[in-house]
Amino acid sequence: MERVGHFFDDIGLIRIGSSYAADIDFLIILVLVVVGVWFLAAEFVFMYFIVKFREKPGRRADYIDGTNKRHKRWITYPHLAVLVFDVLIVVVSFKVWHKIKIDLPENPDAVIRVIGQQWAWTFQHPGADAELDTPDDIFTIDELHVENGKLYHFKLEALDVLHSFSVPVWRIKQDAIPGRSITGWFQPTMIGEFDVQCTEICGFGHGVMAGKVMVEDPATHSAWIEANTPALLAE
Amino acid sequence: MAEPAVAVMAHHEEEDHGHHGPGGWLKYLWSTDHKVIAMQYMFTGMFMALIGGFMAYVFRMQLAFPGINVPGFGMVSPGEYNALVTNHGTLMIFWVAMPVLLAAFGNYLIPLMVGADDMVFPKINRLSFQIFFLSTIVILASLVVEGGGFAGAWTAYPPLSANETYNLTPLGSTLWVVGVGLEFVAFLLGGINFITTLMNSRAPGMRAFDVPIVVWMIVVASILFMLSVGPLLAGAIMLIFDQTLGTGFFDPATGGDPILWQHLFWFFGHPEVYVVLLPAIGVVAEIITTFARKKLFGYRIVIFTIVATGVLSFFVWAHHQFIAGIDPRMANIFTITTLLISVPIAEMCFVYIATLYGGSIRLTTPMLWALAFIAEFLIGGVTGIFLGAAGADIYFHDTYFVLAHFHYTFFPIAIIGTFAAFTYWFPKMFGKMMDERLGKWHFWLTIIPFNFIFIPLFVLGMGGQHRRIYNYAHFPELAIPWFQNMRIVATVSLLVMLAAQLIFFYNCYKSWRRGRKAPMNPWKANSLEWTTQSPPPHGNWRPDELPVVYRGPYEYSVPDRDDDYWPQNEPDSRGSR
């Protein structure tokens, strides 16, 4: 069961890089199986009818108007079944949605700020004291540094137009709105360098609004913090 | 009977007065005949489809071969790329799907299928097209003004769309909003006619459940459009004010709210999907019953499901905004309503498949298009479930998965549905039969490449490719070779598909010039448009021959009859009703 959520990772389509990525993938697989079966069944019956009921000399079409109960149940039963499957999908979708977007895990290891503007991402890291908005904060452009396995909250803001913060391997996506600060969370589980996208069209340079996130092991991350702490404070 | 006759006389008097002065093409330009107006809508829509298709060609070339000097266009800058995708979407929905499916076929079919001599308000109908034509000029002008066309996506989210310092297209974005607004006015006027004509001008004997499905569909679509367009028109005017007068309805810097626009837009935008879907579904109903020689399976089920779909479609809009910054708890409600709408739509598909059961199916060109609509739309329908489930939408939102999904709905609607309708009613509209051999070549060379365009895009979307990016070289995860190969497959398929349209235009020209003359009822169909000559004269029937209706439109293969069809206007032996 556990592996199901890793299907897209296993086939090399998109890697799993956060604690909730497999939950989203599991939901996608569930929908894929449910609607896939329906889809194949419907297309099969459809194609079968087209072949089977081709015009033949001497044969006349049946006169069926669909008001007869015996005929109508061929519509009513499948349609009730669709409803049942809808409920199943809704339930799993709710679970995933609540986990990612509604239930904010408490006591994060760090809080970062992500600011979108035309056409770059600014990342505000809390620095050595793990507190945001203190003098040792580290600001970077288009390059987010996080430590593998740690729980992060992010505060997402925008300066001019709408942007959308997306890291595909984390399955994270959230629009940034000027004038608001939107809180969310993530917990990286894979070390490496990954794409950060802006997924909301934001003008001329939307296509080059590319950042990257560096997920580092604890030693590398501390070294990075040390090396980048504003010089004035380091003394 | 009295009322239509009076209407006809009034109409003819007016004609006599109107035709003293200008003749020739001016007569055509000012004609209030619903068929002439339908043709004007259709040819304008097809012309716009060529422009929209050309745009797709340019940006797909850029995606497959980044930096290429696109033949017929040149190098594509990031700004131009954004303008191309923005206006491709705008044109294809508002200037192709709407005018062709709703306005052209609505205008052409409603009076003919309900047995009326014209629309109830012919002059409003004329005005509707003229405003539409004006809107066409405005939107085309917006592409060539200084600064270039609007480039903030067809959804026009502010603040990008509201402020020229952000979008860099001061004239283009204002003309874009004005053009879209005018287009809405045109369709409101058209919709008034569709609704009133169905209500007031039905042939004697035609009860509500004797009306062909396509007419029901177009009228329900018009009602949905009327109910949903108000908020967006208001939003469009606020957006124009933001752009030109410096108000701040949507700008947070001056106390506005950008999310407000999204609500106004999608409150319209989602019913709009059904506004264009319903006419296509109606067209398919007419065609599959005719060529399967079958009564529609559950006529009333279809009517009730479209009404249910229409009502539900007003409660799903925020599924476009799951991750847009709305209260995340709202997503729960909209996930439920969105998945609920799968029930009536699935039911509609079941009904159509059930209609084929026990039929005597003739695979003519229009039938192939109609069947392809069902087969392809199913893909569009089921992939919508992925996006309606909020949890999965976190990943899929604004990826190529979404893009492929809605092309699997809009392509069947706007292109397959149009070709189905066009080839089915061509004999009626132009009085000539179309060439079946060319028609089938055109069909297969459109359908096969279509799937090869969009199935790779589903895979790319699953791989995390996001939308509206002119060059994926900036994203290492998306710049890998096999992703690029998929982009090339999609683009090459598009080139094949676009080239195949030459067959269609050649077929139209050839059939129109040298085609076999069409009889009154070439398909042996039941509905009233087949009871007049091809093409129908002004006034549709001779005033003393306006049809009287005795039964519903799908009485095919009725037992104990020699013919396997039974026209709506043929009195039965007992003369009942």
Side-chain angles (χ1 to χ4, degrees), chain A residues 27 43 46 49 53 55 59-63 65 71 75 79 86 90 93 97-98 118 161-162 171 173-175 177-178 180 194-195 197-199 203-204 206 208, chain B residues 82 166 252 262 293-294 298 323-325 328 331-332 339 342-343 347 353 358-359 361-362 375 390-392 394-395 397-398 464 468 476-477 555 558 561 563:
Chain A
L27 172 60
E43 294 278 3
F46 175 69
F49 282 1
F53 297 109
E55 181 182 39
R59 204 187 74 80
R60 199 179 166 126
D62 299 338
Y63 184 76
D65 66 358
H71 296 138
I75 302 294
H79 124 229
D86 276 353
V90 165
S93 172
W97 180 259
H98 273 257
Q118 286 181 327
V161 299
L162 301 180
R171 313 289 187 276
K173 196 172 286 154
Q174 177 62 53
D175 282 10
I177 304 164
R180 292 194 203 179
F194 309 109
D195 284 358
Q197 305 171 340
C198 171
T199 49
F204 187 88
H206 172 59
V208 294
Chain B
N82 291 347
Y166 297 146
Q262 298 181 17
R293 315 308 291 166
K294 271 291 302 287
I323 60 148
N332 290 340
L339 289 193
S342 70
V343 175
E347 188 153 315
I353 294 173
I361 297 170
R362 260 174 66 208
I394 298 171
Y395 181 53
H397 185 83
D398 263 330
R468 297 160 181 150
E477 285 166 24
E555 297 299 321
V558 178
R561 273 181 58 83
D563 290 333

Coordinates of all heavy atoms in Angstrom, one line a residue, chain A residues 27 43 46 49 53 55 59-63 65 71 75 79 86 90 93 97-98 118 161-162 171 173-175 177-178 180 194-195 197-199 203-204 206 208, chain B residues 82 166 252 262 293-294 298 323-325 328 331-332 339 342-343 347 353 358-359 361-362 375 390-392 394-395 397-398 464 468 476-477 555 558 561 563:
Chain A
L27 N -3.4 9.8 -4.0 CA -4.7 10.2 -4.4 C -4.8 10.2 -5.9 O -5.9 9.8 -6.5 CB -5.0 11.7 -3.8 CG -6.2 12.4 -4.4 CD1 -7.5 11.6 -4.0 CD2 -6.3 13.8 -3.8
E43 N -15.6 3.1 -22.9 CA -15.1 3.1 -24.3 C -15.3 1.7 -24.9 O -15.6 1.6 -26.1 CB -13.6 3.5 -24.3 CG -13.3 4.9 -23.9 CD -13.5 6.0 -25.0 OE1 -14.0 5.6 -26.1 OE2 -13.3 7.2 -24.8
F46 N -18.9 1.2 -25.8 CA -19.2 2.2 -26.9 C -18.7 1.6 -28.2 O -19.4 1.5 -29.2 CB -18.5 3.5 -26.5 CG -18.6 4.5 -27.6 CD1 -19.8 5.1 -27.9 CD2 -17.4 5.0 -28.2 CE1 -19.8 6.1 -28.9 CE2 -17.4 5.9 -29.2 CZ -18.6 6.5 -29.5
F49 N -20.6 -1.5 -29.3 CA -21.9 -1.2 -29.9 C -21.8 -0.8 -31.3 O -22.6 -1.1 -32.2 CB -22.7 -0.1 -29.1 CG -23.3 -0.6 -27.8 CD1 -23.2 -2.0 -27.5 CD2 -24.0 0.2 -27.0 CE1 -23.8 -2.4 -26.3 CE2 -24.6 -0.2 -25.8 CZ -24.5 -1.5 -25.5
F53 N -23.6 -3.1 -33.9 CA -24.9 -2.7 -34.5 C -24.7 -1.9 -35.8 O -25.4 -0.9 -36.0 CB -25.6 -1.8 -33.4 CG -26.0 -2.6 -32.2 CD1 -25.4 -2.4 -31.0 CD2 -27.0 -3.6 -32.3 CE1 -25.7 -3.2 -29.9 CE2 -27.3 -4.4 -31.2 CZ -26.7 -4.2 -30.0
E55 N -25.0 -1.1 -39.6 CA -26.1 -1.3 -40.5 C -26.0 -2.6 -41.3 O -24.9 -2.9 -41.9 CB -26.2 -0.1 -41.5 CG -27.2 -0.2 -42.5 CD -27.1 1.0 -43.5 OE1 -26.0 1.4 -43.8 OE2 -28.1 1.6 -43.8
R59 N -31.9 -5.8 -41.6 CA -32.2 -5.7 -40.1 C -32.6 -4.3 -39.8 O -32.0 -3.3 -40.3 CB -30.9 -6.0 -39.3 CG -31.2 -6.5 -37.9 CD -29.9 -6.6 -37.1 NE -29.3 -5.3 -36.8 CZ -29.8 -4.6 -35.7 NH1 -30.8 -5.0 -35.0 NH2 -29.2 -3.4 -35.5
R60 N -33.6 -4.2 -39.0 CA -34.1 -2.9 -38.6 C -33.7 -2.6 -37.2 O -33.6 -3.5 -36.3 CB -35.6 -3.0 -38.7 CG -36.3 -1.6 -38.9 CD -37.8 -1.9 -39.0 NE -38.5 -0.6 -38.8 CZ -39.3 -0.1 -39.7 NH1 -39.6 -0.8 -40.8 NH2 -39.9 1.0 -39.4
A61 N -33.5 -1.3 -36.9 CA -33.1 -0.9 -35.5 C -34.3 -1.2 -34.5 O -35.4 -1.3 -34.9 CB -32.8 0.5 -35.5
D62 N -33.9 -1.5 -33.3 CA -34.9 -1.7 -32.3 C -35.6 -0.4 -31.9 O -35.0 0.7 -32.1 CB -34.3 -2.3 -31.0 CG -33.7 -3.6 -31.2 OD1 -34.1 -4.2 -32.2 OD2 -32.8 -4.0 -30.5
Y63 N -36.8 -0.5 -31.4 CA -37.5 0.7 -30.9 C -37.5 0.7 -29.4 O -38.3 0.0 -28.8 CB -38.9 0.8 -31.5 CG -39.7 2.0 -31.1 CD1 -39.4 3.2 -31.8 CD2 -40.6 2.0 -30.1 CE1 -40.1 4.4 -31.5 CE2 -41.3 3.2 -29.8 CZ -41.0 4.3 -30.4 OH -41.7 5.5 -30.1
D65 N -37.2 3.3 -26.1 CA -37.2 4.8 -25.8 C -36.6 5.1 -24.4 O -36.5 6.2 -24.0 CB -38.6 5.4 -25.9 CG -39.6 4.8 -24.9 OD1 -39.2 4.0 -24.1 OD2 -40.8 5.3 -24.9
H71 N -34.9 -1.3 -19.1 CA -33.9 -0.6 -19.9 C -33.2 0.5 -19.1 O -32.0 0.7 -19.1 CB -34.5 0.0 -21.2 CG -35.0 -1.0 -22.1 ND1 -36.2 -0.9 -22.7 CD2 -34.5 -2.2 -22.4 CE1 -36.4 -1.9 -23.5 NE2 -35.4 -2.8 -23.3
I75 N -28.9 2.7 -17.1 CA -28.4 4.1 -16.8 C -28.3 4.3 -15.3 O -27.4 4.9 -14.8 CB -29.3 5.1 -17.5 CG1 -29.4 4.9 -19.0 CG2 -28.9 6.5 -17.2 CD1 -28.1 5.1 -19.7
H79 N -25.0 5.1 -12.8 CA -24.9 6.4 -12.4 C -24.9 6.5 -10.8 O -24.2 7.3 -10.2 CB -25.9 7.3 -13.1 CG -26.9 8.1 -12.3 ND1 -28.2 8.1 -12.5 CD2 -26.7 8.9 -11.2 CE1 -28.8 8.8 -11.7 NE2 -28.0 9.4 -10.9
D86 N -17.5 8.7 -6.5 CA -17.3 10.1 -6.2 C -17.0 10.3 -4.7 O -16.1 11.1 -4.3 CB -18.5 11.0 -6.6 CG -18.4 11.4 -8.1 OD1 -17.4 11.1 -8.7 OD2 -19.4 11.9 -8.6
V90 N -13.8 11.9 -2.9 CA -13.9 13.1 -2.0 C -13.3 12.8 -0.7 O -12.6 13.7 -0.2 CB -15.4 13.4 -1.9 CG1 -15.6 14.4 -0.7 CG2 -16.0 14.0 -3.2
S93 N -9.6 12.8 -1.0 CA -9.1 14.1 -1.3 C -9.2 15.0 -0.1 O -8.2 15.8 0.2 CB -10.0 14.7 -2.4 OG -9.7 16.0 -2.6
W97 N -6.1 17.0 1.4 CA -6.2 18.5 1.5 C -6.1 19.0 2.9 O -5.4 20.0 3.1 CB -7.6 18.9 0.9 CG -7.8 20.3 0.9 CD1 -8.6 21.1 1.7 CD2 -7.3 21.3 -0.1 NE1 -8.6 22.4 1.4 CE2 -7.8 22.6 0.3 CE3 -6.5 21.2 -1.2 CZ2 -7.5 23.7 -0.4 CZ3 -6.2 22.4 -1.9 CH2 -6.7 23.6 -1.5
H98 N -6.7 18.3 3.8 CA -6.6 18.8 5.2 C -5.2 18.7 5.7 O -4.6 19.6 6.4 CB -7.5 18.0 6.1 CG -8.9 18.5 6.2 ND1 -9.3 19.2 7.3 CD2 -9.9 18.5 5.3 CE1 -10.6 19.6 7.0 NE2 -10.9 19.2 5.9
Q118 N 8.1 40.6 -9.9 CA 8.4 40.4 -11.3 C 9.9 40.5 -11.4 O 10.5 41.6 -11.1 CB 7.8 41.5 -12.1 CG 6.3 41.3 -12.3 CD 5.6 42.4 -13.1 OE1 6.1 43.5 -13.1 NE2 4.6 42.0 -13.9
V161 N 2.3 41.6 -8.6 CA 1.2 40.9 -9.2 C 1.1 39.5 -8.6 O 1.9 39.2 -7.7 CB 1.4 40.7 -10.7 CG1 1.4 42.1 -11.4 CG2 2.6 39.9 -11.1
L162 N 0.2 38.7 -9.0 CA 0.1 37.3 -8.5 C 1.2 36.5 -9.0 O 1.7 36.6 -10.1 CB -1.2 36.7 -9.0 CG -2.6 37.3 -8.6 CD1 -3.7 36.5 -9.2 CD2 -2.7 37.5 -7.1
R171 N 5.5 18.6 -4.4 CA 4.1 18.7 -4.7 C 3.5 19.9 -4.0 O 2.3 19.9 -3.5 CB 3.3 17.5 -4.3 CG 3.9 16.1 -4.7 CD 3.7 15.9 -6.2 NE 4.2 14.5 -6.5 CZ 5.5 14.2 -6.7 NH1 6.4 15.1 -6.6 NH2 5.8 12.9 -6.9
K173 N 2.2 23.9 -4.0 CA 1.9 25.0 -4.9 C 0.9 25.9 -4.1 O 0.0 25.4 -3.4 CB 1.2 24.4 -6.1 CG 1.1 25.4 -7.2 CD 0.6 24.8 -8.5 CE 1.6 23.9 -9.1 NZ 1.0 22.8 -9.9
Q174 N 1.2 27.2 -4.2 CA 0.4 28.1 -3.5 C 0.5 29.5 -4.2 O 1.6 29.9 -4.4 CB 0.7 28.2 -2.0 CG -0.1 29.3 -1.2 CD -1.6 29.0 -1.2 OE1 -2.0 27.9 -0.8 NE2 -2.4 29.9 -1.7
D175 N -0.6 30.1 -4.5 CA -0.5 31.4 -5.1 C -0.1 32.5 -4.1 O -0.4 32.4 -2.9 CB -1.9 31.9 -5.7 CG -2.2 31.2 -7.0 OD1 -1.5 30.3 -7.4 OD2 -3.2 31.6 -7.6
I177 N -0.2 36.5 -3.1 CA -1.1 37.6 -3.5 C -0.5 38.8 -2.8 O -0.2 38.9 -1.6 CB -2.5 37.3 -2.9 CG1 -3.0 36.0 -3.4 CG2 -3.4 38.5 -3.2 CD1 -4.2 35.5 -2.7
P178 N -0.3 39.9 -3.6 CA 0.2 41.1 -3.0 C -0.8 41.6 -1.9 O -2.0 41.5 -2.1 CB 0.2 42.1 -4.2 CG -0.6 41.5 -5.3 CD -0.6 40.0 -5.1
R180 N -1.1 40.2 1.0 CA -1.4 39.2 1.9 C -0.2 38.4 2.3 O 0.7 38.3 1.5 CB -2.5 38.2 1.4 CG -3.8 38.8 1.2 CD -4.8 37.7 1.0 NE -6.0 38.2 0.2 CZ -7.0 37.4 -0.1 NH1 -7.0 36.1 0.1 NH2 -8.0 38.0 -0.7
F194 N 16.6 21.3 -6.6 CA 15.3 21.1 -7.3 C 14.8 22.4 -7.8 O 15.1 23.5 -7.3 CB 14.3 20.4 -6.4 CG 14.8 19.2 -5.7 CD1 15.1 19.2 -4.4 CD2 15.1 18.0 -6.5 CE1 15.6 18.0 -3.8 CE2 15.6 16.9 -5.9 CZ 15.8 16.9 -4.5
D195 N 13.9 22.3 -8.9 CA 13.3 23.5 -9.5 C 12.3 24.2 -8.6 O 11.5 23.5 -7.9 CB 12.5 23.1 -10.8 CG 13.4 22.8 -11.9 OD1 14.7 22.9 -11.7 OD2 12.9 22.4 -13.0
Q197 N 9.3 26.8 -9.4 CA 8.6 27.4 -10.5 C 7.7 28.6 -10.0 O 7.3 28.6 -8.9 CB 7.7 26.4 -11.2 CG 8.3 25.1 -11.6 CD 7.3 24.1 -12.1 OE1 6.1 24.2 -11.8 NE2 7.8 23.1 -12.9
C198 N 7.4 29.5 -10.9 CA 6.3 30.4 -10.7 C 5.2 29.9 -11.6 O 5.3 29.9 -12.8 CB 6.6 31.8 -11.0 SG 5.1 32.9 -11.0
T199 N 4.0 29.5 -11.1 CA 3.0 28.8 -11.9 C 1.8 29.8 -12.2 O 0.8 29.3 -12.6 CB 2.5 27.5 -11.3 OG1 2.2 27.8 -9.9 CG2 3.6 26.5 -11.4
G203 N 3.6 38.2 -16.2 CA 4.1 39.2 -17.1 C 5.2 38.7 -18.0 O 5.5 37.5 -18.1
F204 N 5.9 39.7 -18.6 CA 6.9 39.4 -19.6 C 7.9 38.3 -19.2 O 8.2 37.4 -20.0 CB 7.7 40.7 -19.9 CG 8.6 40.6 -21.1 CD1 8.2 40.9 -22.3 CD2 9.9 40.3 -20.9 CE1 9.0 40.8 -23.4 CE2 10.8 40.2 -21.9 CZ 10.3 40.5 -23.2
H206 N 7.7 35.9 -17.0 CA 7.1 34.8 -16.3 C 7.9 33.5 -16.6 O 8.2 32.7 -15.8 CB 5.7 34.6 -16.7 CG 5.0 33.3 -16.2 ND1 5.0 33.0 -14.9 CD2 4.5 32.3 -16.9 CE1 4.3 31.8 -14.8 NE2 4.0 31.4 -16.0
V208 N 11.0 33.1 -17.2 CA 12.3 33.0 -16.7 C 12.3 33.1 -15.2 O 13.4 33.2 -14.5 CB 13.3 34.0 -17.3 CG1 13.5 33.7 -18.8 CG2 12.8 35.4 -17.0
Chain B
N82 N 3.6 35.1 -24.6 CA 2.5 35.3 -23.6 C 1.3 35.9 -24.3 O 0.1 35.4 -24.1 CB 2.9 36.3 -22.5 CG 3.9 35.6 -21.6 OD1 4.2 34.4 -21.6 ND2 4.5 36.5 -20.7
Y166 N 2.7 46.8 -14.9 CA 3.0 45.4 -14.8 C 2.9 44.6 -16.1 O 3.7 43.7 -16.3 CB 2.0 44.7 -13.8 CG 2.1 45.3 -12.4 CD1 0.9 45.4 -11.6 CD2 3.3 45.7 -11.8 CE1 1.0 45.9 -10.3 CE2 3.4 46.2 -10.5 CZ 2.2 46.3 -9.8 OH 2.3 46.8 -8.5
P252 N -4.5 45.7 -4.5 CA -4.4 45.7 -3.1 C -3.7 47.0 -2.6 O -4.0 47.5 -1.5 CB -3.6 44.5 -2.7 CG -3.3 43.8 -4.0 CD -3.8 44.5 -5.1
Q262 N -11.2 37.0 -9.7 CA -11.2 35.6 -10.0 C -12.6 35.0 -9.7 O -13.1 34.2 -10.5 CB -10.2 34.9 -9.1 CG -8.8 35.3 -9.4 CD -7.7 34.6 -8.5 OE1 -8.0 33.5 -8.0 NE2 -6.5 35.1 -8.5
R293 N -30.6 5.2 -36.5 CA -32.0 5.0 -36.7 C -32.7 4.6 -35.4 O -33.5 3.6 -35.3 CB -32.3 3.9 -37.8 CG -31.4 3.9 -39.0 CD -31.5 5.3 -39.7 NE -32.7 5.6 -40.3 CZ -33.1 6.8 -40.7 NH1 -32.2 7.8 -40.5 NH2 -34.2 7.1 -41.2
K294 N -32.4 5.3 -34.3 CA -32.8 4.9 -33.0 C -33.5 6.1 -32.4 O -33.1 7.2 -32.5 CB -31.7 4.5 -32.1 CG -31.3 3.0 -32.2 CD -32.3 2.1 -31.6 CE -32.6 2.3 -30.1 NZ -31.5 2.0 -29.2
G298 N -34.1 7.8 -23.5 CA -34.4 8.6 -22.3 C -34.3 10.1 -22.7 O -33.5 10.8 -22.1
I323 N -6.0 26.7 -4.9 CA -4.8 27.2 -4.3 C -4.5 28.7 -4.6 O -3.4 29.1 -4.5 CB -3.6 26.4 -4.8 CG1 -3.4 26.5 -6.3 CG2 -3.7 24.9 -4.4 CD1 -2.0 26.4 -6.7
A324 N -5.6 29.4 -4.9 CA -5.4 30.8 -5.3 C -5.4 31.7 -4.0 O -5.4 32.9 -4.2 CB -6.5 31.3 -6.2
G325 N -5.5 31.1 -2.9 CA -5.6 32.0 -1.7 C -7.0 32.2 -1.1 O -7.2 33.0 -0.2
P328 N -9.0 27.8 2.7 CA -8.9 26.4 2.2 C -10.1 25.6 2.6 O -10.3 24.5 2.0 CB -7.6 25.9 3.0 CG -7.3 27.0 4.0 CD -7.9 28.2 3.5
A331 N -12.5 24.9 -0.1 CA -12.2 23.9 -1.2 C -13.0 22.6 -0.9 O -13.4 21.9 -1.9 CB -10.7 23.6 -1.1
N332 N -13.3 22.3 0.3 CA -14.1 21.1 0.6 C -15.5 21.1 -0.1 O -15.9 20.2 -0.8 CB -14.3 20.9 2.1 CG -13.1 20.6 2.8 OD1 -12.1 20.1 2.2 ND2 -13.0 20.8 4.1
L339 N -17.3 17.2 -8.0 CA -17.5 15.8 -8.3 C -18.9 15.4 -8.6 O -19.2 14.5 -9.3 CB -16.8 15.0 -7.2 CG -15.3 15.0 -7.1 CD1 -14.8 14.0 -6.2 CD2 -14.7 14.9 -8.5
S342 N -20.1 15.4 -12.0 CA -19.7 14.3 -12.9 C -20.9 13.3 -13.1 O -20.9 12.6 -14.1 CB -18.5 13.5 -12.3 OG -19.0 12.8 -11.1
V343 N -21.8 13.4 -12.1 CA -23.0 12.4 -12.2 C -23.9 12.7 -13.4 O -24.1 11.8 -14.3 CB -23.8 12.4 -10.9 CG1 -25.0 11.5 -11.1 CG2 -22.9 11.9 -9.8
E347 N -24.1 10.5 -16.8 CA -25.4 10.0 -17.3 C -25.6 10.3 -18.7 O -26.1 9.5 -19.5 CB -26.4 10.6 -16.4 CG -27.8 10.0 -16.6 CD -28.6 10.1 -15.3 OE1 -28.1 9.8 -14.3 OE2 -29.8 10.5 -15.5
I353 N -24.5 6.3 -25.3 CA -24.0 5.0 -25.6 C -25.2 4.0 -25.7 O -25.3 3.2 -26.6 CB -23.0 4.5 -24.5 CG1 -21.7 5.4 -24.6 CG2 -22.6 3.1 -24.8 CD1 -20.7 5.2 -23.5
G358 N -28.7 -1.6 -30.2 CA -29.8 -2.1 -31.0 C -30.1 -1.2 -32.2 O -31.1 -1.4 -32.9
G359 N -29.1 -0.3 -32.5 CA -29.3 0.5 -33.7 C -28.9 -0.1 -35.0 O -28.6 -1.3 -35.0
I361 N -26.4 1.2 -37.4 CA -25.5 2.4 -37.5 C -24.9 2.6 -38.8 O -24.2 1.6 -39.4 CB -24.4 2.2 -36.4 CG1 -25.1 2.3 -35.0 CG2 -23.4 3.4 -36.5 CD1 -24.1 1.9 -33.9
R362 N -25.0 3.8 -39.4 CA -24.4 4.1 -40.7 C -23.2 5.1 -40.4 O -23.5 6.2 -39.9 CB -25.4 4.8 -41.6 CG -26.0 3.8 -42.6 CD -27.1 4.5 -43.4 NE -26.5 5.7 -44.2 CZ -27.3 6.7 -44.5 NH1 -28.5 6.8 -44.1 NH2 -26.8 7.7 -45.3
A375 N -16.3 9.7 -27.8 CA -15.1 9.0 -27.4 C -14.0 9.9 -26.8 O -13.4 9.6 -25.8 CB -14.5 8.3 -28.6
A390 N -9.6 18.4 -4.7 CA -8.6 19.5 -4.3 C -7.3 19.0 -4.0 O -6.2 19.6 -4.3 CB -9.2 20.3 -3.1
G391 N -7.2 17.8 -3.3 CA -5.9 17.3 -2.9 C -5.0 17.1 -4.1 O -3.8 17.4 -4.0
A392 N -5.5 16.5 -5.2 CA -4.7 16.3 -6.4 C -4.4 17.6 -7.1 O -3.4 17.7 -7.8 CB -5.4 15.3 -7.3
I394 N -3.6 20.4 -6.0 CA -2.4 21.1 -5.5 C -1.3 20.9 -6.5 O -0.5 21.8 -6.8 CB -2.0 20.5 -4.1 CG1 -3.1 20.8 -3.1 CG2 -0.7 21.2 -3.6 CD1 -2.9 20.1 -1.7
Y395 N -1.2 19.6 -6.9 CA -0.1 19.3 -7.8 C -0.4 19.7 -9.3 O 0.4 20.3 -10.0 CB 0.3 17.8 -7.8 CG 1.4 17.4 -8.7 CD1 2.6 18.1 -8.6 CD2 1.3 16.4 -9.6 CE1 3.7 17.8 -9.5 CE2 2.3 16.1 -10.5 CZ 3.5 16.8 -10.4 OH 4.6 16.5 -11.2
H397 N -2.6 21.9 -10.6 CA -3.0 23.3 -10.9 C -2.0 24.0 -11.8 O -0.8 23.9 -11.5 CB -3.2 24.1 -9.6 CG -3.8 25.4 -9.9 ND1 -5.1 25.7 -10.1 CD2 -3.2 26.6 -10.0 CE1 -5.3 27.0 -10.3 NE2 -4.1 27.6 -10.3
D398 N -2.4 24.6 -12.9 CA -1.6 25.3 -13.8 C -0.4 24.5 -14.3 O 0.6 25.0 -14.7 CB -1.0 26.6 -13.1 CG -1.9 27.8 -13.4 OD1 -2.4 27.8 -14.5 OD2 -1.9 28.7 -12.6
G464 N 5.2 17.6 -14.1 CA 5.4 18.9 -13.4 C 5.6 20.0 -14.3 O 5.9 21.1 -13.9
R468 N 2.4 28.3 -19.8 CA 2.7 29.6 -20.2 C 4.1 30.0 -20.0 O 4.5 31.1 -19.6 CB 1.8 30.6 -19.4 CG 0.3 30.4 -19.7 CD -0.6 31.1 -18.7 NE -2.0 30.8 -19.0 CZ -2.9 30.7 -18.1 NH1 -2.7 30.8 -16.8 NH2 -4.2 30.5 -18.5
P476 N 15.7 23.0 -15.1 CA 16.5 21.8 -15.4 C 15.6 20.5 -15.3 O 15.8 19.6 -16.2 CB 17.5 21.7 -14.3 CG 17.7 23.2 -13.8 CD 16.4 23.8 -14.1
E477 N 14.7 20.4 -14.4 CA 13.9 19.2 -14.3 C 13.0 19.0 -15.6 O 12.6 17.9 -15.9 CB 13.0 19.2 -13.1 CG 13.8 18.9 -11.8 CD 13.0 19.3 -10.6 OE1 11.8 19.3 -10.6 OE2 13.7 19.6 -9.5
E555 N -38.6 9.6 -33.6 CA -39.4 8.4 -33.8 C -38.8 7.6 -35.0 O -39.3 7.6 -36.1 CB -40.9 8.7 -34.1 CG -41.6 9.4 -32.9 CD -41.6 8.4 -31.7 OE1 -41.8 7.2 -31.9 OE2 -41.4 9.0 -30.6
V558 N -39.9 2.9 -35.9 CA -41.2 2.6 -35.1 C -41.7 1.3 -35.7 O -41.8 1.1 -37.0 CB -42.2 3.7 -35.3 CG1 -43.5 3.3 -34.6 CG2 -41.6 5.0 -34.7
R561 N -44.3 0.1 -39.2 CA -44.3 1.2 -40.3 C -43.4 0.7 -41.4 O -42.4 0.1 -41.1 CB -43.9 2.5 -39.7 CG -45.0 3.3 -39.1 CD -44.4 4.7 -38.6 NE -43.8 5.4 -39.6 CZ -44.4 6.2 -40.5 NH1 -45.7 6.4 -40.4 NH2 -43.7 6.9 -41.4
D563 N -41.5 2.8 -43.4 CA -40.3 3.7 -43.3 C -39.7 3.5 -41.9 O -40.5 3.3 -40.9 CB -40.6 5.1 -43.5 CG -41.0 5.4 -45.0 OD1 -40.5 4.6 -45.9 OD2 -41.8 6.3 -45.2

